[in-house]
Amino acid sequence: MARRPAASAPQVSIVVPVFDEAGAAPALAREIATAFKGRSFEMVFVDDASRDGTRAGLEALERDMPELRVLAHRKNAGQSRAIRTGVLGARGEIIVTLDGDGQNDPADGPKLVDALLAGGPDLALVGGERVKRQDSRAKKIASRIGNGVRKRLLRDTANDTGCGLKAFRREAFLRLPYFDHIHRYLPALMVREGYRTAFLPVNHRHRTTGRSKYTNLGRLWVSLSDLLGVMWLQSRARDPAGVEEL
């Protein structure tokens, strides 16, 4: 997929992967527009082959919202691929991601961007850490255990990599090795490339429409495989300690 011309490119691209989120996506787009009003931004919604009215709702909104762009997969490829599609197509050098179900609060996005810009070029990612999570007890317990194990083994200092709300530099993201579910390992992979990461508390909201696309058991099996893979990538990394042009 070709990237749009960079003429008058926005500073920030908000990338939102959506799958069967007809009830949440249009309202979320309006919230994002309000949160980033007065800034140089675009929204890139990536429809991951939804089976409901998600695509039609976004296309209708696109006609009245010039900041909105809608990209669409021909077949379902998962959240990480949808994020990558959005980043590849984005025109901004700063990327903000958030989940398409409306649980992440777009109002927190600008503060992550400001922290990223203030941190210097070696700060590649500022991640959100959800405060007072509005999920089931079982999901919160599973997340706490998973985050604890991952943090100990990968030493990425992140308490909540499952939070979809993140701000990062597009160039840094595209340096990372792609694999399915990469979005949960961005802090560790950024550190592997020699970048710094930081984290800020963000709001979390109840899901009011649709249903979760994940189960605790399903996530457990893929997480074990992914965790071993990222540990292998870390073990094979070599740091040149900087580059000089002679």
Side-chain angles (χ1 to χ4, degrees):
M1 182 198 67
R3 192 184 184 199
R4 279 193 181 179
S8 67
Q11 181 186 44
V12 180
S13 295
I14 300 97
V15 173
V16 187
V18 286
F19 175 59
D20 288 353
E21 296 290 357
L28 181 59
R30 294 187 186 96
E31 281 194 278
I32 293 170
T34 298
F36 283 85
K37 185 176 181 180
R39 293 177 177 248
S40 174
F41 78 98
E42 67 175 357
M43 291 176 278
V44 184
F45 275 68
V46 182
D47 177 58
D48 191 24
S50 293
R51 301 158 298 185
D52 62 1
T54 299
R55 186 178 304 187
L58 288 170
E59 285 179 327
L61 194 61
E62 191 177 21
R63 290 190 287 269
D64 301 318
M65 191 174 287
E67 304 90 352
L68 175 62
R69 297 168 55 201
V70 182
L71 307 180
H73 287 169
R74 291 191 178 96
K75 71 174 186 177
N76 183 266
Q79 184 174 353
S80 282
R81 178 56 75 175
I83 290 172
R84 184 172 173 81
T85 293
V87 174
L88 287 170
R91 296 183 298 142
E93 296 308 320
I94 302 297
I95 305 294
V96 174
T97 62
L98 65 160
D99 293 338
D101 57 14
Q103 288 195 266
N104 296 140
D105 190 343
D108 287 318
K111 76 176 181 181
L112 299 188
V113 172
D114 291 342
L116 182 64
L117 293 173
D122 64 330
L123 179 63
L125 177 145
V126 178
E129 293 186 345
R130 291 166 288 187
V131 176
K132 298 180 180 178
R133 282 187 60 177
Q134 303 300 308
D135 284 323
S136 68
R137 176 178 170 81
K139 184 174 286 188
K140 287 189 283 189
I141 291 173
S143 180
R144 189 178 303 119
I145 293 171
N147 276 309
V149 171
R150 187 216 69 257
K151 184 178 178 181
R152 180 168 182 173
L153 293 177
L154 300 184
R155 302 181 300 280
D156 59 12
T157 74
N159 294 317
D160 183 17
T161 59
C163 179
L165 186 55
K166 297 178 177 71
F168 52 82
R169 299 184 187 276
R170 180 178 185 272
E171 179 186 9
F173 176 88
L174 293 177
R175 288 173 180 254
L176 306 181
Y178 172 77
F179 56 90
D180 198 19
H181 297 106
I182 186 179
H183 64 280
R184 296 183 175 277
Y185 297 92
L186 291 184
L189 294 171
M190 290 289 189
V191 171
R192 177 181 180 270
E193 286 296 316
Y195 295 111
R196 291 189 298 115
T197 60
F199 305 92
L200 293 174
V202 296
N203 187 30
H204 192 239
R205 309 186 296 192
H206 283 287
R207 173 186 271 275
T208 58
T209 66
R211 59 184 180 83
S212 175
K213 312 305 186 294
Y214 298 99
T215 64
N216 287 338
L217 185 59
R219 187 175 291 173
L220 172 64
W221 291 118
V222 297
S223 294
L224 290 173
S225 174
D226 293 341
L227 185 58
L228 292 173
V230 176
M231 291 173 65
W232 181 85
L233 286 171
Q234 287 181 323
S235 73
R236 303 304 296 165
R238 299 184 69 178
D239 184 2
V243 179
E244 298 178 356
E245 183 172 356
L246 306 179

